[in-house]
Amino acid sequence: MGEWLGQMIEVDVTNIAHGGVSVARHDGRVVFVSDAIPGERVLVRITDDKKKSFWRAETVKVVTASKHRKDHVWSAASIDRDPDNRAGGAEFGHIELSHQRTLKAQILRESLERMAKVTHAPVVEVVPGDDERNGLGWRTRVSLHVNDAGNLGPFAARSHRVISVRDLPLATPELSAAAPLDQNFAGFERVDVLNPSSGGVRLIMGKQKPQVITELVGEREFSLLDSGFWQVHHGAAEVLTAAVQDAIDPELFDPAASNLDLYGGVGLFAAAVGDKFGPATKITTVEAESSATDHAAQNLSEWLGARAETGRVDRWLRQLVTGASATERARLERATVVLDPPRSGAGREVVELLASAAPAHVVYVACDPVAFARDVAFFAEKGYTLRAVRAFDLFPHTHHVEAVGTFTRD
């Protein structure tokens, strides 16, 4: 291995893969190619030939272009640049916007078919206003990195090399205008730039003390720390709130059951459930980060039956199911559970613990189609069927896609 590293070859791109890369073959070997579109012939440079089963490569030149190719929305990531100097974070920016969604839907559908043996074909839905802005101006949070010279920028695609840029077209106009791209930050490793719903743009650098910010979802306010998690797209929290509310079947929902919001953050989805079913709704949100739990308690204070607990979801569930009384088990069996795990998914242990509680209804918010499909298979093993799934384009010009799946007991 190693003799092909850095060499140029021409390949025909035949498919899309998870992770923002396309699929080609060379002498029978799979080659994962960045900055290409299925249907194209491209000249690529081999960047990784260590595996016997596949290589990785970067597109250097487009020989035969797809009809869906267009000029990249971000010049810093353009095909005209050497692959080593292309900014990361907009890996679908060379693809026509509606075709990006077609590819994302294909990845989700094929992941579910391959890993969970189920067939669902959701259309990737658009956040209102995104098409009018050509998928730009949506990011409310950007992490920028500092090189040895103190220059600020994003990492290059698939590396930790900092790329100096003049603009941030995926960021909101306010964030883009305020980002200190031309300033020197020697002595720091990273600068986070935030544009929350209120209070203006702010920078987070080094070990500065986190500050409380307010995010708005419709007319509802959520307090959280500026270092905490919140949806990146300015419209995502509102879109997902509505999607979770729509996913819950009123005939299955029992406001007096032991309803759960797992990986609950600052209470966004617990609030969505409470807003739909009323202030007496019983729901417990569980989050590992104690500062988020503190804010969840505040954000959910108007619901009499809402609680916020700190704990790792796997440990918390294990304690719940092993210590539940007969009465509590009956409440769990009538429950609706919303879970929004990290990109790695919930995983087998959490799915099995949750299934052992036997809730009537599960709504899963997923930000990774492969991890989601794997968990769908785990749920199926435990007697839960994926009844419906919707998908949302909350990350235009990237390969990421959000899904909301609804499960019921067989």
Side-chain angles (χ1 to χ4, degrees):
M1 291 296 147
E3 65 270 19
W4 282 90
L5 187 66
Q7 292 201 33
M8 304 280 196
I9 58 174
E10 279 194 16
V11 293
D12 292 312
V13 181
T14 57
N15 205 352
I16 191 71
H18 178 51
V21 294
S22 295
V23 180
R25 288 186 179 273
H26 179 72
D27 291 340
R29 179 183 281 104
V30 170
V31 183
F32 292 115
V33 180
S34 67
D35 298 316
I37 307 173
E40 293 187 325
R41 184 169 180 83
V42 293
L43 177 68
V44 304
R45 185 170 69 205
I46 305 299
T47 58
D48 185 352
D49 65 348
K50 296 176 184 176
K51 301 284 187 181
K52 291 183 179 180
S53 56
F54 68 87
W55 291 344
R56 296 190 183 278
E58 307 272 10
T59 299
V60 175
K61 179 182 177 182
V62 179
V63 179
T64 305
S66 165
K67 66 180 181 179
H68 303 293
R69 178 173 284 274
K70 59 183 185 59
D71 290 341
H72 204 291
V73 296
W74 194 10
S75 61
S78 170
I79 192 76
D80 299 330
R81 286 193 168 205
D82 184 281
D84 289 342
N85 294 318
R86 292 175 195 162
E91 61 277 3
F92 273 10
H94 60 288
I95 307 173
E96 189 273 325
L97 196 55
S98 65
H99 192 59
Q100 293 181 29
R101 296 175 189 134
T102 298
L103 296 175
K104 294 177 186 186
Q106 178 184 334
I107 291 167
L108 177 57
R109 182 185 71 249
E110 292 179 352
S111 297
L112 289 169
E113 289 174 348
R114 183 178 70 256
M115 303 186 74
K117 305 298 186 289
V118 297
T119 300
H120 289 272
V123 173
V124 177
E125 301 176 39
V126 184
V127 178
D130 273 4
D131 277 347
E132 290 78 1
R133 292 186 295 268
N134 190 31
L136 304 176
W138 55 268
R139 288 195 72 104
T140 62
R141 285 151 170 78
V142 173
S143 289
L144 300 171
H145 304 274
V146 184
N147 65 15
D148 292 341
N151 298 320
L152 192 65
F155 282 144
R158 293 164 292 280
S159 96
H160 287 164
R161 187 173 51 264
V162 176
I163 304 297
S164 295
V165 298
R166 295 191 300 270
D167 60 351
L168 299 169
L170 301 193
T172 63
E174 296 82 4
L175 191 158
S176 188
L181 298 174
D182 57 351
Q183 297 181 26
N184 190 280
F185 286 88
F188 295 94
E189 293 184 358
R190 193 176 90 176
V191 176
D192 291 316
V193 192
L194 275 66
N195 182 202
S197 301
S198 59
V201 176
R202 59 177 58 214
L203 305 183
I204 302 177
M205 300 174 289
K207 297 180 180 179
Q208 71 186 62
K209 184 179 179 181
Q211 301 294 312
V212 176
I213 60 174
T214 300
E215 293 284 2
L216 298 174
V217 182
E219 297 182 355
R220 182 168 295 287
E221 293 185 352
F222 290 84
S223 70
L224 66 153
L225 294 182
D226 56 11
S227 58
F229 173 79
W230 188 255
Q231 294 290 335
V232 174
H233 192 299
H234 64 81
E238 191 164 350
V239 166
L240 291 176
T241 288
V244 167
Q245 290 173 333
D246 291 345
I248 298 173
D249 185 346
E251 294 186 4
L252 289 176
F253 188 81
D254 180 353
S258 294
N259 302 299
L260 300 175
D261 171 26
L262 303 179
Y263 311 93
V266 296
L268 175 66
F269 295 135
V273 175
D275 273 338
K276 180 167 183 175
F277 294 103
T281 297
K282 183 177 180 182
I283 188 163
T284 300
T285 183
V286 182
E287 167 59 45
E289 177 56 55
S290 60
S291 61
T293 306
D294 291 341
H295 286 279
Q298 176 183 337
N299 296 331
L300 300 172
S301 59
E302 70 184 72
W303 288 281
L304 300 176
R307 289 188 304 150
E309 296 199 6
T310 301
R312 264 183 43 173
V313 167
D314 55 347
R315 295 173 182 170
W316 192 92
L317 279 176
R318 189 179 302 110
Q319 184 175 3
L320 176 71
V321 298
T322 56
S325 65
T327 300
E328 179 60 20
R329 282 201 166 272
R331 291 196 186 104
L332 285 169
E333 289 175 4
R334 302 195 307 272
T336 293
V337 177
V338 180
L339 67 159
D340 180 19
R343 197 168 301 282
S344 56
R348 180 182 289 277
E349 183 179 11
V350 166
V351 170
E352 290 181 349
L353 286 167
L354 185 57
S356 69
H361 200 203
V362 176
V363 176
Y364 188 130
V365 181
C367 58
D368 184 280
V370 171
F372 175 58
R374 177 208 62 201
D375 287 349
V376 170
F378 293 156
F379 272 110
E381 291 175 6
K382 296 300 177 180
Y384 282 81
T385 297
L386 180 66
R387 301 296 181 185
V389 60
R390 294 173 69 186
F392 301 90
D393 195 13
L394 303 187
F395 310 91
H397 300 299
T398 82
H399 73 278
H400 299 294
V401 62
E402 199 90 1
V404 177
T406 305
F407 298 81
T408 57
R409 288 197 308 256
D410 294 345

